[in-house]
């Protein structure tokens, strides 16, 4: 340990002496230049001796200077990058908000056009909730008894039939979707005028109950409301037949259909606030009742 310490002490002492000699030579050379206005003899020797050290020091200084400026540049660049990312995030958020507003405006425009195509009274409502359980297929609306909404009223969208009002409160109501087990809507195959009851399967499907086996129906046929009950006017789209099964015996056949309305994307609906008394016989006008 003592030998190592002695060696290091001598090493640092030698380095210190060399540095001091170089500084002394530099000072001496500067004084001689000021006195004579030039360099000769010893001065030239001192320059040759000092130059390599001066060159190395200058190189180190330039590298340190370059690293320092590079660091400052990177710090400024990182700051600008962070600001730009914040601006991009804000612009993307504003763009999404504008798209949502445009989409909402387009939906409302279609809703108003659909409402204006009928002479019956309707109330526009917003979907504010969905049944979280799998027991019922229902939606919660932001309109209720204070808006004239009553149990059994038809609920529509521009795409077609949504369901019927199941429960009402002063400011809210619940609509039972046509895909629920408990739902039943009088329907008709548009092409053949075949009558049947549209029942829900509990999933995202419906089926035609009491569809006579003798009726001609095909996959792709459109099913609409028949207008035989007082809550749904005639001709509203319900769905499209996707599956048909005919047993070898029996009076009825089975036909499955996909609803026209995509209930997962439904945000606004129309509630029909007046009912219609179906004609007692063909040719008699329909009487409106409020």
């Amino acid at each position: 340990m003592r030998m190592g310490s002695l060696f290091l002490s001598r090493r640092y002492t030698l380095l210190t002496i060399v540095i001091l000699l170089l500084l002394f030579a530099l000072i001496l050379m500067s004084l001689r230049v000021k006195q004579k206005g030039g360099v000769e003899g010893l001065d030239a020797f001192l320059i040759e001796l000092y130059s390599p050290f001066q060159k190395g020091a200058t190189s180190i200084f330039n590298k340190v200077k370059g690293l320092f400026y590079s660091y400052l540049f990177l710090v400024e660049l990182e700051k600008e990058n962070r600001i730009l990312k914040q601006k991009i995030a804000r612009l993307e958020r504003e763009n999404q908000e504008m798209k949502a507003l445009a989409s909402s405006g387009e939906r409302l425009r279609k809703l108003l056009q659909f409402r204006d195509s009928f002479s019956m009274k309707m109330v526009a409502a917003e979907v504010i909730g969905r049944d979280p359980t799998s027991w019922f297929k229902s939606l919660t609306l932001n309109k209720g008894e204070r808006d004239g909404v009553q149990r059994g009223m038809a609920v529509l969208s521009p795409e077609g039939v949504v369901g019927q009002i199941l429960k009402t409160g002063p400011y809210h109501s619940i609509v039972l979707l046509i895909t629920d087990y408990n739902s039943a809507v009088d329907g008709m195959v548009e092409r053949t005028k075949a009558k049947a009851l549209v029942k829900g399967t509990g999933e995202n499907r419906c089926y035609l109950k009491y569809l006579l086996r003798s009726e001609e129906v095909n996959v792709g046929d459109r099913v609409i409301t028949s207008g035989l009950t007082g809550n749904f006017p005639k001709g509203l789209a319900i769905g499209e037949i996707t599956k048909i099964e005919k047993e070898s015996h029996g009076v009825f056949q089975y036909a499955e259909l996909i609803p026209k309305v995509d209930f997962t994307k439904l945000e606004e609906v129309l509630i029909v606030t007046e009912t219609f008394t179906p004609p007692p016989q063909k040719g008699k006008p329909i009487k409106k009742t409020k």
Side-chain angles (χ1 to χ4, degrees):
M1 290 295 292
R2 290 184 177 180
M3 292 296 294
S5 301
L6 181 62
F7 176 75
L8 290 174
S9 176
R10 290 181 178 179
R11 182 178 177 182
Y12 288 126
T13 302
L14 180 61
L15 181 61
T16 303
I17 293 172
V18 171
I19 292 173
L20 291 174
L21 288 175
L22 289 173
L23 290 174
F24 175 75
L26 178 61
I27 295 170
L28 180 62
M29 183 179 66
S30 299
L31 292 174
R32 290 179 64 82
V33 167
K34 289 181 180 179
Q35 291 174 0
K36 297 183 178 181
V39 291
E40 295 179 355
L42 180 61
D43 298 331
F45 171 74
L46 292 173
I47 290 174
E48 291 297 327
L49 179 64
Y50 173 72
S51 294
F53 295 97
Q54 185 182 36
K55 181 179 179 181
T58 302
S59 176
I60 292 172
F61 175 76
N62 288 335
K63 287 182 179 179
V64 172
K65 181 180 178 182
L67 289 173
F68 179 72
Y69 282 118
S70 297
Y71 171 75
L72 291 180
F73 174 76
L74 290 175
V75 169
E76 188 65 24
L77 187 64
E78 193 276 334
K79 181 180 178 181
E80 292 180 359
N81 187 43
R82 185 173 65 254
I83 293 173
L84 287 174
K85 285 183 177 180
Q86 291 174 352
K87 288 182 178 179
I88 291 172
R90 178 173 56 82
L91 290 173
E92 288 180 346
R93 185 171 62 254
E94 290 177 355
N95 185 43
Q96 291 299 324
E97 290 174 354
M98 291 296 292
K99 286 183 177 179
L101 286 173
S103 178
S104 178
E106 180 63 18
R107 291 195 310 271
L108 290 175
R109 184 185 66 81
K110 290 181 179 179
L111 202 68
L112 291 174
Q113 287 182 343
F114 179 75
R115 185 190 66 180
D116 293 342
S117 65
F118 293 89
S119 59
M120 53 193 171
K121 294 181 180 180
M122 296 184 181
V123 171
E126 183 181 351
V127 177
I128 59 173
R130 302 174 189 276
D131 194 319
T133 70
S134 59
W135 299 339
F136 297 100
K137 299 295 180 181
S138 63
L139 302 173
T140 303
L141 308 180
N142 67 341
K143 295 294 174 67
E145 295 170 356
R146 295 291 182 90
D147 304 287
V149 179
Q150 297 178 12
R151 178 182 171 88
M153 286 183 170
V155 181
L156 316 174
S157 80
E159 288 72 32
V161 175
V162 175
Q164 301 179 63
I165 296 296
L166 178 65
K167 296 179 181 180
T168 59
Y171 302 100
H172 302 88
S173 57
I174 295 177
V175 51
L176 188 71
L177 302 180
I178 59 173
T179 53
D180 189 271
Y181 283 117
N182 300 305
S183 174
V185 177
D186 281 300
M188 174 177 67
V189 179
E190 186 176 33
R191 183 177 60 86
T192 62
K193 311 304 178 187
K195 305 295 189 301
L197 193 64
V198 180
K199 294 279 294 178
T201 64
E203 300 297 330
N204 295 323
R205 295 287 190 275
C206 298
Y207 70 97
L208 295 179
K209 189 175 183 179
Y210 306 129
L211 178 63
L212 293 175
R213 177 180 170 80
S214 58
E215 297 286 1
E216 178 195 353
V217 291
N218 298 322
V219 171
D221 278 346
R222 188 166 175 259
V223 179
I224 61 176
T225 52
S226 64
L228 296 178
T229 55
N231 48 0
F232 287 98
K234 184 179 179 179
L236 297 173
I238 298 177
E240 185 177 291
I241 294 177
T242 57
K243 181 180 179 181
I244 298 173
E245 292 180 359
K246 286 188 177 182
E247 300 291 341
S248 57
H249 60 281
V251 179
F252 304 108
Q253 59 180 311
Y254 176 85
E256 191 173 89
L257 63 145
I258 296 179
K260 189 68 174 177
V261 179
D262 185 351
F263 303 110
T264 62
K265 298 180 180 179
L266 201 59
E267 296 188 41
E268 297 90 14
V269 297
L270 289 170
I271 305 171
V272 181
T273 56
E274 64 177 317
T275 57
F276 297 82
T277 303
Q281 59 184 30
K282 189 174 181 180
K284 292 290 184 71
I286 295 176
K287 181 183 178 182
K288 297 181 181 180
T289 60
K290 294 183 180 180

